[in-house]
Every structure is written in structure tokens, then in C-alpha cells.
Amino acid sequence: RVAVYSSPEQCVVAGASGDVERLIELITGEGGTARSLRVAAAGHTPQVDPLLERFVAGLGTIEARQPTCRVYTTVEEDPRCKPVLDTAYWARNLRQPVRFRQAVTAAAQDGHRIFVEVSAHPTQLHPLVETLSATGVDDALIVPTLRRDTDDTMTFRLALATLLANGAADPVAARQLLHPGAQVVDVPSARWRHQRFWATD
């Protein structure tokens, strides 16, 4: 089964290890690219059904509130629907395929051009580019927040600076995020002395 619809050119399938290995052999035998991901369970497939009851019990009751920003869901078939983000939603999130491509496509079609990947390491940059390209979008700003084997503080600030430089972030909110209570002041201009220094023989 397809577990993740990553992009028009990529997807993740999940199932019994033997079935997955045979699929990899079939795809690579026909000149395609496929590799196995070593995971403990086949997420987003019926194989997680036995875990759902315990998962829901562990989550407890999640009281959903109306989102304050536009949401494109990767759980429901219609990415533009307004999901109720309660316990049942997060159980479906574990069980249903991830419709990443569909959500990105819908956001792009609705005019969104800034995409920020909030993760410990960017894994969705290529799927984002492929999906946006297939949607006819070539002017999107794609920004990862963190990268493996880099200084987290520097990398996050670089991401924020990229958003600021492209007019995609509020300078006041960014300042409060990085330096709570700080104020912006005018820096004195340079005091040029206008002295000439001539080299002599």
C-alpha cells in the first residue's frame, strides 16, 4: 500500500517486508529507483490497526480548537477541508496514508508561495520542489528550519533571516522570538575623517 504520497515522482509504500523487497526488485529491475527503509512498523497501513486503541488511550482526550491559520491537511482526502483536530484525527493521521503531495498542490493552487519545513533535518525539500514544479510553480521560497550536523541556533537564525530578507516574516515578531524584550535602535552613522594618505617614493 502507498503510505506516503510524497510528490508526483516519489512515494513510500509499506507492508510486509517480503512484499516490499519483491517490489524493490521489480522496480530496480525495470530501471527505476527504490530502496528499503528500516522501520519498526508499516505506518499508515492496516498493519497499525492493532496499535490504534492503545495509541488513542495514550493520547487521551484532545480538545480541538479552531485553527487560527489556514490548514491543509495531509490526513483527509480533501486537503482543503476543515478537520477537527481531536484525538480521532490524530489516530487517522497514524493510520491513513500521508497525502503530502495533495496538500502542497492545494496550497500552491491557492496562491501560497512560501513553504517552511519545520523539522530536525529537511527531508521534504525534493518532494516540495517536484510537487510545485508539477503544479507550475517555479517562484516558491522553500526554507528548512534545521539541518543535521549544523549549529541549531545558527541554522534557525539563518532560516529566519531568509524569511525576513524575502519579506515573509514580521520583523517585530522575529525580534521578540530571538531576543524577548529587546528594542531596535538607530545605529550612529560612521564618522568619516576624510583624511588623505598619499604614498611617496
Side-chain angles (χ1 to χ4, degrees), residues 51 81 111 134-135 140 190 194:
L51 306 174
C81 77
T135 311
H194 300 289

Side-chain angles (χ1 to χ4, degrees), residues 100 104-105 107-117 124-144 162-163 166 168:
F100 183 78
V104 171
T105 298
Q109 289 172 342
D110 290 350
H112 294 281
R113 294 296 181 268
I114 300 168
F115 296 84
V116 179
E117 180 176 353
Q124 300 306 304
L125 296 185
H126 290 296
L128 267 168
V129 170
E130 290 172 351
T131 301
L132 292 170
S133 178
T135 311
V137 173
D138 57 5
D139 60 343
L141 175 64
I142 303 172
V143 181
T162 301
L163 292 171
N166 285 275

Side-chain angles (χ1 to χ4, degrees), residues 15-94:
S17 58
D19 294 338
V20 172
E21 290 298 333
R22 283 190 290 275
L23 179 60
I24 291 173
E25 290 176 8
L26 177 64
I27 292 172
T28 55
E30 294 182 356
T33 301
R35 63 185 176 94
S36 178
L37 301 174
R38 300 301 173 195
V39 294
H44 309 290
T45 72
Q47 291 192 336
V48 300
D49 286 347
L51 306 174
L52 290 179
E53 185 175 346
R54 192 169 35 163
F55 177 72
V56 168
L59 285 179
T61 301
I62 297 177
E63 295 182 7
R65 291 182 293 180
Q66 190 68 26
T68 57
C69 63
R70 185 73 176 87
V71 173
Y72 292 88
T73 177
T74 62
V75 175
E76 312 296 352
E77 289 190 20
D78 178 7
R80 293 183 180 90
C81 77
K82 295 182 179 179
V84 178
L85 305 176
D86 57 5
T87 306
Y89 175 86
W90 295 110
R92 290 197 305 280
N93 185 66
L94 179 65

Side-chain angles (χ1 to χ4, degrees), residues 117-182:
E117 180 176 353
V118 181
S119 63
H121 184 71
T123 59
Q124 300 306 304
L125 296 185
H126 290 296
L128 267 168
V129 170
E130 290 172 351
T131 301
L132 292 170
S133 178
T135 311
V137 173
D138 57 5
D139 60 343
L141 175 64
I142 303 172
V143 181
T145 50
L146 297 174
R147 286 184 182 275
R148 187 187 310 121
D149 301 325
T150 63
D151 179 87
D152 288 348
T153 301
M154 184 64 69
T155 305
F156 183 81
R157 286 170 184 256
L158 179 61
L160 187 55
T162 301
L163 292 171
L164 285 167
N166 285 275
D170 177 12
V172 175
R175 183 179 74 236
Q176 290 301 320
L177 175 67
L178 295 177
H179 306 287

